[in-house]
């Protein structure tokens, strides 16, 4: 029996012991509260339907359903049967036949209970692959990552144990389930711990709603991206709500300086990973936050080469789905993360993205992450961004709490003292309000939009990050 077969058998045993005839876990949504036994019963009906359709291990099932107990049932059934689950956004408007063709899938399951079947037989099954999940695409074109049953089992068990939840805990799920963070760090470790999971009514988009549910439903755990934390902190009740939690993970984007102090007063912990790593790579200790904190690696090998983090272990993905084909990669290889890190006393520290470096037309490499770190060390700013203004010059953007009252002349002079070797190529140095800067949904600075706005000299309008 190969490793994937053994992992699938182990996963089935875990699922059986967790759900069958059990009052735990519980999934709650508006007007519905289903215990483990009911979720198991629904999953068994889906297993029967999959068998009637004639699905075999490795057949691909696209799940385009909203976060719901039904989503949990389909996922449970697909993994029980050894199918390859392909979760996509419930808001994706692509026609069903195009989705089925794109994934070469046998079935598409949407909001209704009736699946859409493919009109043609799929090609090679992806047997042993538990899920094909898309990256967020915030640092480039989104990729589709194939996670094996070995990857999945490793991720769920290591994070279930590390996050240490019980059937007494109540978890508020605020993250999308078609992304790896929401599905494999937030939702499923909580379910396998026997916790009661409440599905956030507003899909994580209403800070006020999250705050209200934490208090009214006695929520003990919740996980967020930094943008959601920033939104909650903009409400005067937000910090107390975060402090009321006994656990949860903040990840998906770097921890910016303005979030450090409030997060350090909570029991939340930083998390770091990539979809290519199932996605868990590191977890911090509760309340240990600092700018760029990533946490300690979790059950994987790691090394730093030329400043870049590489990881290896059972969390590293099995391959990619590309052009309607699965492209396997060697087992036990080192995964290049493209993240620049250093090692500190409390774990790994994020120092920038490798792909943020750029060359000018002189052939000189500009190490933007290094310059940004130097600027933050020397200047009182919340963040700094360096990018190519054109082929021969650079631009610097400093982000501060109140750009209107900033001493721009002093900041520009301090910038010149930091980036001395590039002074003659600095075309502009702009000081902007942190709250007005464009960001991705996770809370990263949207460097592409920022560059466009700076070079076009468009005004920024203050708003909550």
């Amino acid at each position: 029996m190969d490793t994937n077969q053994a992992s699938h058998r182990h996963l089935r045993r875990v699922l059986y012991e967790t759900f069958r005839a059990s009052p735990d876990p519980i999934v709650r949504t508006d007007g519905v509260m289903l215990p483990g036994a009911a979720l198991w019963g629904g999953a068994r009906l889906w297993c029967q339907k999959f068998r009637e359709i004639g699905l075999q291990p490795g057949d691909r099932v696209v799940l385009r359903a909203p976060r719901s107990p039904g989503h949990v049932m389909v996922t449970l059934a697909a993994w029980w049967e050894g199918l390859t689950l392909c979760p996509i956004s419930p808001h994706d408007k692509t026609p069903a036949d195009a989705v089925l063709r794109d994934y070469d899938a046998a079935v598409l399951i949407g909001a209704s209970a009736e699946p859409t079947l493919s009109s043609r037989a799929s090609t090679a099954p992806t047997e042993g692959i538990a899920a094909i999940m898309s990256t967020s695409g915030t640092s480039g074109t989104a990729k589709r990552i194939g996670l094996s049953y070995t990857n999945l089992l490793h991720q769920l068990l290591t994070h279930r144990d590390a996050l240490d939840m019980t059937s007494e805990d109540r978890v508020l799920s605020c993250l999308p389930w078609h992304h790896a963070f929401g599905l494999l760090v937030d939702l499923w470790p909580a379910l396998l711990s026997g916790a009661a999971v409440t599905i956030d009514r507003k899909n994580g988009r209403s800070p006020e709603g999250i705050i209200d549910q934490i208090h009214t439903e006695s929520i003990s755990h919740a996980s967020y991206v930094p943008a959601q934390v920033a939104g909650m902190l903009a409400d005067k009740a937000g910090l107390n709500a975060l402090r009321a939690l006994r656990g949860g993970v903040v990840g998906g984007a770097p921890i910016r300086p303005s979030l450090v102090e409030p997060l350090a007063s909570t029991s939340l912990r930083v998390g770091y990973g990539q979809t290519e790593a199932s996605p868990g790579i590191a977890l911090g200790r509760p309340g240990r936050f600092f700018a760029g904190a990533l946490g300690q690696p979790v059950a994987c090998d790691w090394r730093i080469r030329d400043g870049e983090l590489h990881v290896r272990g059972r969390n590293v993905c099995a391959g990619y789905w590309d052009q309607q084909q699965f492209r396997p990669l060697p087992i036990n290889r080192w995964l290049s993360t493209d993240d620049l890190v250093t090692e500190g006393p409390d774990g790994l520290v994020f120092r920038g993205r490798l792909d943020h470096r750029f060359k000018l037309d002189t052939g000189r490499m500009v190490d933007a992450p290094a310059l940004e770190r130097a600027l933050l060390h020397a200047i009182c700013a919340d963040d700094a961004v360096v990018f190519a203004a054109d082929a021969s010059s650079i631009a610097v953007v400093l982000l501060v709490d109140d750009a209107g009252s900033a001493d721009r002349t002093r900041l520009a002079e301090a910038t010149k003292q930091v980036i001395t070797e590039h002074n003659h190529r600095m075309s502009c140095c702009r000081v902007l309000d942190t709250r007005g800067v464009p960001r991705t949904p996770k809370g990263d600075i949207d460097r592409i939009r920022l560059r466009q706005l700076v070079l076009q000299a468009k005004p920024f309008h203050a708003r909550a990050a």
Side-chain angles (χ1 to χ4, degrees), residues 28-90:
R28 305 169 185 262
T29 187
D30 286 336
V32 177
M33 184 179 75
L34 292 183
L39 296 168
W40 178 261
R44 298 309 297 164
L45 293 176
W46 275 108
C47 288
Q48 181 179 342
K49 186 175 286 287
F50 290 155
R51 292 168 187 173
E52 291 171 353
I53 293 170
L55 299 189
Q56 300 295 319
D59 283 340
R60 288 172 291 283
V61 174
V62 179
L63 180 55
R64 185 167 61 182
R67 301 180 314 148
S68 64
H71 192 294
V72 174
M73 294 173 189
V74 172
T75 301
L76 175 52
W79 287 343
W80 183 266
E81 293 291 289
L83 305 175
T84 300
L85 187 76
C86 308
I88 64 174
S89 171

Side-chain angles (χ1 to χ4, degrees), residues 324-341:
Q324 301 175 323
Q325 292 184 47
F326 181 67
R327 305 183 186 279
L329 292 170
I331 296 173
N332 206 37
R333 73 189 185 283
W334 285 100
L335 171 68
S336 301
T337 64
D338 288 335
D339 284 331
L340 301 171
V341 306

